[in-house]
Amino acid sequence: MKTDKIILGVVGGIVTGAVMGILFAPAKGKKTRRKIMNKGVDSVDDLKDKFDSLLGTITKKYETIWDSTEDLIAQEKAKIDLSKKEMKSLNN
């Protein structure tokens, strides 16, 4: 979660800086509004890309953990089955 907050803070700072730079730059109102809108769209696109990348990373880690867990369960089940067979052979 800490990484998410850092990324969000950095993106927020970049957006804020861009908007402040545009607002304080000498230009006509219509031109300034267009620049702000374009920067906003660009920022949203960048944020979506970063979110998709983060989601992909989380998904890969989840799948890796899931696969490892399934392998571990299969190994332990095999050990239990082997122990059951050994116990049956000792009882016979």
Side-chain angles (χ1 to χ4, degrees):
M1 288 295 183
K2 190 174 184 180
T3 304
D4 297 343
K5 290 181 182 180
I6 291 171
I7 291 171
L8 187 58
V10 169
V11 171
I14 291 170
V15 170
T16 302
V19 170
M20 295 301 288
I22 292 170
L23 287 175
F24 287 107
K28 291 184 177 184
K30 185 176 182 179
K31 203 173 191 181
T32 301
R33 287 189 298 274
R34 186 178 303 126
K35 284 182 181 179
I36 290 172
M37 188 149 134
N38 289 340
K39 288 288 183 179
V41 169
D42 291 344
S43 296
V44 167
D45 289 341
D46 289 343
L47 189 58
K48 284 181 183 178
D49 291 342
K50 289 180 182 182
F51 179 76
D52 289 341
S53 175
L54 179 63
L55 187 60
T57 301
I58 290 171
T59 301
K60 286 179 185 176
K61 287 183 180 181
Y62 171 79
E63 288 172 353
T64 300
I65 291 170
W66 185 261
D67 291 342
S68 297
T69 303
E70 285 180 333
D71 291 345
L72 183 60
I73 289 171
Q75 290 172 1
E76 294 304 315
K77 187 176 179 183
K79 288 179 185 177
I80 290 170
D81 290 342
L82 181 62
S83 295
K84 284 180 181 178
K85 286 179 183 178
E86 288 176 355
M87 291 298 286
K88 282 184 180 179
S89 69
L90 289 176
N91 288 335
N92 290 334

